[in-house]
Each structure stands twice: as C-alpha cells, then as structure tokens.
Amino acid sequence: MKPHSLADLDAFLSVARHRNFRRAARDRGVSASTLSQAVRDLEEAIGIRLLHRTTRSVTPTEAGQRLIDSLSPAMDAVTQALDGLNDYRNSTFGTLRLNVPSIVARAILPDLLAPFLTSHPGIRLDVEDNNALVDIFAAGFDAGVRYEEALAQDMVAIPIGPRVQRYVLAASPAHIAQHGLPQHPTDLLSRPCLRHRFHDAGPLAWEFERQGEVLKLHPEGPLVSSNTPLLLRAALDGLGWIYTFEDLLADHFAAGTLVPALRDWSLSFSGPFLYYSSRRHVPGPLRALVDWLRRIS
C-alpha cells in the first residue's frame, strides 16, 4: 500500500460529509479540483474506491463508509487537540522562564514582580540569576534580560526597568581614612580595588567618563570575583574601592557605610532590555509580560 497523508484523509471526510465537492471546497477555502485530486490520491494509495461520483451526487462506497465511521472520531480528536493549543497561544496561564543578570534580579525585578504577578495570577515566573552570556533559548528559557551591548541584532528588545543607570565608585569610611579620596581615576592604579569579572571572561575594565573624555583602567587589588555580594562585603569591610551599579550602593550611601567618590566621572549607560527571538511564536505568558511592560513604560 502506498503511503497516504493526513491532509488527504481530511479532504475525503470533508467531501463525504458535504456529499458535494464544490460545497466542501467552499467550506475549506480551496478549489474543487484540489479536493478531487486529494481524494483520487487517497484512493490510489489504498487501492480502493471510496466515493461514488455522478454529475448529481457524491456518496460513499461501502468501504468509504467504513472508513468514515473509523476516521471521524479520530479526526475530531485531532481537531480538538489542535484547538486546545489556542489556550497556550493566547492564555496568560503557564510558566515563564527568564534568564537575567544579578543586578536585574536584585535591583529591578523586585519592584516589578508584585504588580505583574498580581495582575496575571495564572503565570508562574521561573527566574535564573546568571551573569554569563549563555544561549538562553538552547538552555530552555523563554526570554532573557541583557544590556544593549550584549543584545544580538535579530532579537526583539523591550525596555525593562530604569532607562538610565550608572556606575559609582565607593569605599568604606575606614578605608578612606587610611588611604584618602582619589582626585582622578588614574589615582586608583595605586589604590586597592575590588574587581568584578564575568564567569566566561577576565576582570572588567573600569570605564570612567567626564565631558567627553573616556578612561579605561585595569586597577589591581586584593579580590577579583564574579560574585557581587562578595565584592560588596569586601568594600564594607574596608578592603578596597568598588565600582558598580549605583542601585546596589544607594542604601549604603544613605546609611553612611560607604562613601561615593569621583561622582563627576561616573559612567552612565542605557538600562536593560527584555529580549526574545523574533523567529519564535511568542508563548502566552511572555506575550503578557511584553504587553504589560509596554503599558507601564
């Protein structure tokens, strides 16, 4: 027996139910000749005539009626199964997996989570805090959050959180009392500094900017780590200067446990973006987040 397609079987059922090729074709939005060819292909594949055709009517043969009786429940089940996928396409129910940098998890998402999840009670967020530049789709995430320089050009990017952020240099009062305040970024080359690095790269250069002048420095110090809380604790303990997101240091500035320096050299940059593939069908929970972010922006 030759192989036959599900489309041919569906075409046969449609003609058999309408008892007319033209009415079935109008219902399916195709030509009558297309349906006629599909039925002929099916009959040729199985080697049995399924429909009696005259100029006035179309009726199933005995074999055709037996096939109708057997196929109809199965095809109805297939239709219901496909219709059921609409719940996933349009629904605001389900799990949304996000991969985000630690700064976003600590300083941006907390203010967004409660309003979003309260307005979408059927969504469950699964958030991974990861500073490495991983392939989020290969890792099974629906979307990620990254800064502009790390975004691929073929991604859809939606602003999330503050649109401007900046790095600020800081140290503890005890450290400043011992080593003094730097007057220029290059002073840091002779001061103990606490360096951050990504998991898949070396220590990041410290970039400063003032009135169009840009400096990139690689200061040395007692600690290099990819763990921001560890670097922050070291700064609070007086081990050196830290240069990181102002959002992470604001509470310590207010409490006086850290003191900012070289404010006029602080580097400003655009805030993060939620990104996802433009080549993918957008799941309902992700579409809900995207629409919500656009409404509040």
Side-chain angles (χ1 to χ4, degrees):
M1 182 187 297
K2 296 180 181 179
H4 46 270
S5 72
L6 187 62
D8 289 346
L9 291 170
D10 191 40
F12 159 70
L13 283 179
S14 180
V15 173
R17 286 168 177 166
H18 285 281
R19 302 295 176 102
N20 185 283
F21 278 95
R22 293 189 181 278
R23 285 197 297 269
R26 282 197 301 269
D27 183 57
R28 295 170 64 85
V30 298
S31 68
S33 61
T34 298
L35 287 187
S36 180
Q37 184 63 53
V39 173
R40 283 198 300 270
D41 289 344
L42 178 61
E43 289 176 330
E44 182 179 348
I46 62 179
I48 299 174
R49 188 172 185 82
L50 299 173
L51 295 175
H52 293 301
R53 305 163 179 84
T54 70
T55 56
R56 294 185 178 182
S57 67
V58 175
T59 58
T61 65
E62 183 178 355
Q65 187 59 53
R66 182 173 180 177
L67 183 59
I68 292 169
D69 295 340
S70 300
L71 275 182
S72 293
M75 295 301 289
D76 288 343
V78 169
T79 300
Q80 291 175 7
L82 293 174
D83 288 343
L85 295 180
N86 291 329
D87 294 337
Y88 290 92
R89 185 183 303 110
N90 304 317
S91 174
T92 54
F93 290 81
T95 299
L96 174 58
R97 297 196 69 215
L98 300 179
N99 180 286
V100 306
S102 58
I103 177 61
V104 172
R106 295 185 61 186
I108 295 176
L109 281 188
D111 290 336
L112 299 178
L113 286 183
F116 173 68
L117 291 177
T118 300
S119 61
H120 299 83
I123 292 178
R124 181 173 74 97
L125 275 181
D126 182 346
V127 179
E128 179 173 306
D129 173 347
N130 190 338
N131 288 324
L133 298 178
V134 300
D135 182 340
I136 60 169
F137 305 115
F141 293 96
D142 298 300
V145 177
R146 285 294 179 267
Y147 285 84
E148 195 167 11
E149 67 276 5
L151 292 174
Q153 292 184 352
D154 60 346
M155 294 294 167
V156 179
I158 306 296
I160 183 172
R163 296 326 310 137
V164 177
Q165 291 183 279
R166 65 175 183 167
Y167 274 3
V168 173
L169 182 71
S172 70
H175 185 84
I176 293 172
Q178 180 179 358
H179 296 276
L181 284 169
Q183 302 303 308
H184 190 272
T186 54
D187 294 343
L188 296 168
L189 296 175
S190 60
R191 308 289 178 92
C193 295
L194 309 168
R195 304 279 304 282
H196 183 275
R197 64 170 172 83
F198 283 116
H199 293 281
D200 52 356
L204 296 178
W206 284 11
E207 187 172 342
F208 297 89
E209 182 178 9
R210 185 178 68 175
Q211 298 177 354
E213 181 182 1
V214 177
L215 293 175
K216 287 187 178 182
L217 306 177
H218 290 273
E220 299 295 333
L223 178 64
V224 176
S225 177
S226 61
N227 187 285
T228 301
L230 184 64
L231 294 168
L232 182 57
R233 175 59 187 269
L236 291 168
D237 288 343
L239 291 180
W241 290 92
I242 188 171
Y243 190 47
T244 190
F245 291 89
E246 185 177 28
D247 312 70
L248 296 179
L249 305 179
D251 289 344
H252 296 289
F253 291 158
T257 51
L258 288 176
V259 177
L262 299 178
R263 284 274 202 176
D264 55 339
W265 282 94
S266 292
L267 177 68
S268 296
F269 47 91
S270 62
F273 293 83
L274 175 81
Y275 72 99
Y276 56 96
S277 173
S278 60
R279 298 188 298 272
R280 287 188 163 203
H281 296 293
V282 179
L286 176 56
R287 171 57 60 192
L289 177 59
V290 169
D291 292 343
W292 185 79
L293 289 172
R294 284 174 170 157
R295 284 198 303 272
I296 67 171
S297 62

